[in-house]
Amino acid sequence: MKPDEIVARKLNINGIVQGVGFRPHIYQLARFHQVMGEISNTSSGVSIHVEGSRENIDRFCRNLPTDLPPLAHITDIAEAPDTVRGLVDFSILPSTAGLLRSTLISPDVSVCEDCLKELFDPADRRFLYPFINCTNCGPRYTIIDDIPYDRCHTSMKHFVMCDRCRSEYDDPQNRRFHAQPNACPVCGPQVALHDSDGGLISCENPVEQAGRYLKQGKTLAIKGLGGFHLSVDALNTLAVERLRRRKHREEKPLAVMSPGLERILEYAHVAPEEKALLSSFRRPIVLLRKKEPCLLSEAVSPRNAFIGVMLPYTPLHYLLLDQGFTALVMTSGNMSEEPIAIDNDDAFARLSGMADYFLIHDRQIYLRSDDSLVRLVAGADRVIRRSRGTVPVPVFLRRSLSPVLACGAELKNTVCLTSGNRAFLSQHIGDLENSATYDFFCMTIEHMKRILDITPRLSRLPQHPLCHGAAAGRHGPGSGSTPSRPYRQLHGRKPDPGEVDRPGL
Ligand SMILES: [Zn+2]
Ligand SMILES: [Zn+2]
């Protein structure tokens, strides 16, 4: 066999490989290894045809799984010989509508280092623009309404890209190639500052003005990625105590956000593993041991050795915290036990008794997602609340199941949908003891069914007779198969006999 013999190979790749800059990355990899071919999206991932010298093809295939864009995750690669077509370039084929139904969707991702550099570069056209993002970072799960993951199915559909953004979006060599939330100050979302009555406050820089209010001890409602936060300066005891009174939250610790690790080290102990957790693109709240004496107000986590801390994860957070704060309280924007507010009007209605000012924006959040919470125990991270930054990455099961919907418990509810060997856990929903949370529970199931393209054949509903989610059970003792309000809401029909709550799934 001659060493320069031309061969062809086909690779079918499954996993999180769409909407994460995978195709341009493969384009670069193909050019680097001097192989020709093409890449296209498929119903479950991507398909690659490559041809070139056997040596180059081998190097390309060996390199591919180890050299991935930051958000990509490969679950399976099928490799097979293919027919040589005599291609003279490597190209990215356009997506075919109707095909992309079961691919994995990326979670929301903290702003990346490249975007941060641009954010604080006075020469960049997105200098200080709070919605800067690229294919390696930005919102995903919280702004998507349907699949495939294209701009028209996200809340960015209301913003028409300017020519410069469009040319980045169309260029396979650009970091913003097919970055669905791509935006700039000319064409993208904008922030605005409002008072507690919802009146617009006219000012040149709403983020700077919001920072000034926080320094004066005011409470701000800040619209983030997965919902509103209520924020005060974490060093200001009067402000923290006032927020507690308004939120009816007496002692439960409040999470804080600091601009960088150096600032966190001023008030908390941080092990190397905790540092990695804090800095990961998921940006969870990490429970850290407080330093004594603690620089932060005792009212942040009274009589508690631990404190929940996170790093900024949106450009807006970075701009806010860059104004000289050690830490800001960032607690969920809700009255205790209610779901976090995501809609501007809803926030004005529900949070006006708690917030003095509102820092809002006009990019809609389609699905709320609270901050995730993790803790390091015996050297391993334990997830206490699996939400933003992780959902909807599935847990991979040992075997495939027919599609199941598991509705979770009444307290600290999370639902789960399965498809094949993937179990998709929802974001944290909360305690189903008020109608707002119950509505959120139903909406989340509908939303997940749509964006994951799953029609469950079996359902597991809570059985405890006092459980809200088990309204069905009240129709008869132990009657899990009784047609139920939740079942009808979730499926739009009565269950078939034996379909609900079949044990032993
Ligand atoms: Zn980025
Ligand atoms: Zn633009």
Side-chain angles (χ1 to χ4, degrees):
M1 198 173 290
K2 294 177 198 164
D4 59 350
E5 180 196 9
I6 300 298
V7 297
R9 214 167 287 171
K10 188 178 176 67
L11 294 94
N12 282 317
I13 301 178
N14 295 339
I16 302 180
V17 288
Q18 290 178 18
V20 291
F22 192 79
R23 287 178 300 161
H25 184 85
I26 296 298
Y27 174 89
Q28 302 285 3
L29 195 69
R31 288 178 78 116
F32 180 77
H33 290 295
Q34 298 174 316
V35 297
M36 309 304 155
E38 56 195 28
I39 180 168
S40 57
N41 284 326
T42 67
S43 60
S44 59
V46 295
S47 172
I48 303 172
H49 167 90
V50 276
E51 52 189 59
S53 73
R54 185 179 296 279
E55 196 185 347
N56 287 352
I57 297 279
D58 283 345
R59 277 195 290 121
F60 171 84
C61 293
R62 255 199 321 272
N63 234 218
L64 194 152
T66 56
D67 179 9
L68 297 174
L71 305 183
H73 175 77
I74 291 179
T75 58
D76 180 53
I77 302 182
E79 221 177 289
D82 209 351
T83 312
V84 176
R85 297 187 220 156
L87 299 174
V88 293
D89 204 351
F90 191 91
S91 48
I92 298 174
L93 302 184
S95 299
T96 314
L99 263 183
L100 317 178
R101 297 301 296 177
S102 62
T103 187
L104 298 178
I105 294 164
S106 161
D108 300 296
V109 175
S110 67
V111 56
C112 73
E113 287 298 321
D114 289 334
C115 284
L116 271 182
K117 271 191 211 119
E118 291 170 352
L119 180 68
F120 291 107
D121 175 4
D124 193 275
R125 74 188 186 94
R126 293 185 176 87
F127 178 53
L128 304 185
Y129 179 57
F131 302 95
I132 188 169
N133 68 83
C134 71
T135 46
N136 299 326
C137 73
R140 297 284 189 282
Y141 179 64
T142 50
I143 61 161
I144 185 171
D145 191 35
D146 202 352
I147 50 174
Y149 174 63
D150 280 332
R151 192 171 172 107
C152 62
H153 291 138
T154 72
S155 57
M156 286 303 293
K157 68 185 170 199
H158 305 293
F159 302 93
V160 179
M161 271 187 275
C162 67
D163 290 346
R164 292 177 81 179
C165 286
R166 169 56 69 178
S167 64
E168 295 166 341
Y169 182 91
D170 289 336
D171 177 4
Q173 304 212 50
N174 194 287
R175 204 172 91 243
R176 296 191 166 91
F177 175 66
H178 283 200
Q180 305 304 344
N182 190 24
C184 77
V186 175
C187 65
Q190 304 291 336
V191 287
L193 195 60
H194 289 248
D195 62 25
S196 59
D197 296 324
L200 180 69
I201 295 174
S202 163
C203 57
E204 202 166 298
N205 188 330
V207 183
E208 256 180 41
Q209 185 58 41
R212 270 183 227 121
Y213 286 141
L214 285 164
K215 281 180 187 154
Q216 290 166 13
K218 304 293 185 193
T219 304
L220 265 90
I222 300 167
K223 189 176 183 180
L225 197 56
F228 274 80
H229 282 120
L230 286 165
S231 183
V232 290
D233 185 347
L235 273 63
N236 185 331
T237 297
L238 285 177
V240 179
E241 286 176 344
R242 194 175 57 240
L243 173 60
R244 281 193 175 281
R245 280 197 303 278
R246 289 175 174 180
K247 199 173 149 69
H248 299 299
R249 188 159 166 162
E250 286 171 14
E251 289 226 327
K252 216 169 147 188
L254 301 167
V256 299
M257 182 183 276
S258 280
L261 284 165
E262 324 73 51
R263 285 299 172 94
I264 297 174
L265 284 166
E266 290 175 16
Y267 60 84
H269 299 280
V270 187
E273 297 92 335
E274 290 166 333
K275 185 178 163 188
L277 283 172
L278 284 163
S279 315
S280 80
F281 73 78
R282 303 187 194 286
R283 289 288 201 278
I285 298 170
V286 182
L287 280 186
L288 300 175
R289 187 173 283 279
K290 285 197 246 179
K291 282 186 176 165
E292 292 296 343
C294 186
L295 185 63
L296 305 189
S297 165
E298 170 66 11
V300 173
S301 65
R303 288 176 286 286
N304 197 319
F306 290 87
I307 190 164
V309 183
M310 62 185 147
L311 287 173
Y313 50 87
T314 68
L316 180 60
H317 292 149
Y318 273 97
L319 294 173
L320 198 60
L321 281 145
D322 191 47
Q323 297 176 60
F325 292 102
T326 298
L328 290 175
V329 166
M330 283 292 209
T331 186
S332 50
N334 56 358
M335 190 66 85
S336 290
E337 314 308 336
E338 284 183 356
I340 185 170
I342 55 171
D343 177 74
N344 291 344
D345 289 337
D346 180 43
F348 288 138
R350 287 206 283 141
L351 307 181
S352 60
M354 291 181 263
D356 301 308
Y357 297 98
F358 289 77
L359 185 62
I360 64 166
H361 58 75
D362 52 358
R363 186 177 69 199
Q364 276 178 275
I365 300 169
Y366 283 156
L367 204 59
R368 59 173 59 81
S369 194
D370 290 77
D371 296 315
S372 293
L373 179 59
V374 299
R375 179 179 186 175
L376 195 73
V377 179
D381 51 309
R382 309 286 173 197
V383 180
I384 299 168
R385 187 167 69 206
R386 187 180 185 274
S387 212
R388 177 193 50 76
T390 303
V391 176
V393 175
V395 173
F396 291 93
L397 308 172
R398 287 205 187 107
R399 64 187 176 92
S400 289
L401 301 173
S402 54
V404 178
L405 165 66
C407 289
E410 169 159 335
L411 297 180
K412 301 195 185 302
N413 182 273
T414 298
V415 300
C416 178
L417 277 166
T418 70
S419 171
N421 70 336
R422 300 162 177 179
F424 296 92
L425 290 151
S426 74
Q427 71 276 37
H428 166 78
I429 292 174
D431 299 345
L432 305 179
E433 55 192 15
N434 58 63
S435 62
T437 312
Y438 186 76
D439 289 346
F440 174 34
F441 160 82
C442 294
M443 196 188 103
T444 300
I445 294 170
E446 280 310 313
H447 201 99
M448 285 179 70
K449 279 164 61 182
R450 192 163 64 247
I451 64 167
L452 300 169
D453 200 29
I454 298 174
T455 307
R457 290 190 50 232
L458 298 160
S459 302
R460 287 289 290 176
L461 299 172
Q463 284 296 284
H464 193 284
L466 296 179
C467 177
H468 281 69
R474 298 191 189 132
H475 293 289
S479 168
S481 60
T482 308
S484 66
R485 184 167 69 105
Y487 190 94
R488 286 205 200 112
Q489 281 180 347
L490 305 181
H491 299 267
R493 62 180 174 84
K494 290 181 183 179
D496 298 330
E499 190 179 9
V500 180
D501 282 315
R502 211 168 69 182
L505 290 173

